[in-house]
Amino acid sequence: MSRPQQITVLGATGSIGLSTLDVIARHPERYQVFALSGFTRLSELFALCVRHVPQFAVVPEAAAARGLQDDLRAAGLPTRVLVGEEGLCQVAAAPEVDAVMAAIVGAAGLRPTLAAVEAGKKILLANKEALVMSGALFMQAVRKSGSVLLPIDSEHNAIFQCMPQDFARGLSSVGVRRILLTASGGPFRQTPMSELAHVSPDQACAHPNWSMGRKISVDSASMMNKGLELIEACWLFDAKPSQVEVVIHPQSVIHSLVDYVDGSVLAQLGNPDMRTPIANALAWPERIDSGVAPLDLFAVARLDFEAPDEERFPCLRLARQAAEAGDSAPAMLNAANEVAVAAFLDGRVRYLEIASIIEEVLSLEPVVALADLDAVFTADAKARALAEQWLKRHDR
Ligand code: NAD
Ligand code: MG
């Protein structure tokens, strides 16, 4: 076999980053870690450097970089520490790199992910917010560089696996009628509506099937995650929002389905463990062991489905509206959501206010075309400012 592929893991200290490193460590003959990044929990980043011996580590600021560099040197490691967004873009685009795992959470992941796209890397895309914010520009950059874009989000990875290889010809050309995007319904699927006003961040983060970072866990509770995924699916598979139907499937065993014109519906099933989509994308078009246990259908016993209730999950309605409006609407939705979720996690807003904040932001700012990345970040900043105004007005 040829030399191991060099992998950069952006967001290595997070849930997806750690799962990625778990899969990589199972296949040292195939993969080598080129660079790791972390934003907080830098002692964990140090431990990951000891374990994987990357050429580079990236941290947010200079003082932290000096501290980590000293520790690495004392441990006899050759790893060099880089700083900030510039460092992230550098390790994403470095000529030695074959594939980049984009697993930074939120808008902060956009520039480094785009740097990897522009350098023509294989992109393992977990950072859905990047695509939601800048879908048209992002996909244009993918086409221009010839970058291979592989979805990590379990639903999109499932859809990718159920699609014919030439799906880029257009869904109708390959006989696809609909995408069925599954959702667990999160921890509040059956919580009495009267209790939703008082749920805590810890309750929101207690996902029944998946263990994830706190931001995406809150998004799963509100179903904004499914809304972001609806937009993500439209970009990845060139679908119209009306071609993507959300189906609640509480067991999280079917990770999504593709409905063909002849009536065939293909699904991908598996245990809810992100190492499956990660291994699928890392090795694509081959298959490798991910460490995930075989699916035990007798233990699963049954698969249930229900329609989502948009009164219970107003964020899903807001996301669908933004998907249909297009242009700057998804970037504004995403930014308002990031501010609202951070405030909820800080105990500054209540759970139900997340949707109120987003709805207000979207109603105040007209939708505009996004000609370039500056326009994306301008829309993002406007939405953040409006969401902050909401917080100030409510004295938070
Ligand atoms: P996480 O919070 O566990 O990890 C986030 C990572 O990003 C950490 O390494 C953190 O240090 C880094 N980070 C945070 N803020 C940063 C900033 N401003 N600049 C640079 N780095 C920063 O999150 P996660 O659950 O691993 O999710 C990561 C991404 O993957 C998200 O976009 C999420 O939507 C997506 N995703 C996650 C899952 C999952 O199962 N966890 C599933 C599908 C998609
Ligand atoms: Mg998902």
Side-chain angles (χ1 to χ4, degrees), residues 128 153-155 225-226 229:
K128 67 191 88 188
D153 218 332
S154 57
E155 297 76 5
N225 183 49
K226 214 47 54 182
E229 290 184 358

Side-chain angles (χ1 to χ4, degrees), residues 11 13-16 39 103-105 108 126-129 153 212-213 274:
T13 52
S15 167
I16 292 287
F39 195 68
I104 289 174
V105 58
N127 177 217
K128 67 191 88 188
E129 295 92 343
D153 218 332
M212 310 180 285
M274 289 306 292

Side-chain angles (χ1 to χ4, degrees), residues 22 33 60 114 119 165 168 184 239 241 247 273 307 324 334 341 348 355:
D22 180 281
V33 176
L114 265 184
Q165 288 240 345
S184 68
V247 178
D273 186 323
E324 271 150 15
N334 177 66
V341 170
R348 289 191 292 151

Side-chain angles (χ1 to χ4, degrees), residues 9-19 37-42 58-60 84-85 88 101-109 112 125-130 152-156 210-217 219 225 228-229 232 273-274 277:
V9 184
L10 302 175
T13 52
S15 167
I16 292 287
L18 294 173
S19 292
S37 88
F39 195 68
T40 52
R41 296 191 295 207
L42 298 185
V58 189
V59 298
E85 195 168 73
L88 293 171
M101 167 54 79
I104 289 174
V105 58
L125 185 70
N127 177 217
K128 67 191 88 188
E129 295 92 343
I152 293 298
D153 218 332
S154 57
E155 297 76 5
H156 304 75
W210 296 96
S211 146
M212 310 180 285
R214 283 173 80 77
K215 191 263 179 183
I216 185 178
S217 295
D219 286 349
N225 183 49
L228 298 176
E229 290 184 358
E232 185 186 10
D273 186 323
M274 289 306 292

Side-chain angles (χ1 to χ4, degrees), residues 85 88-89 92 107-116 118 127 130 373-374 377:
E85 195 168 73
L88 293 171
C89 292
L110 177 55
R111 280 205 178 90
T113 306
L114 265 184
E118 283 160 4
N127 177 217
L373 209 53
D374 284 348
F377 280 107

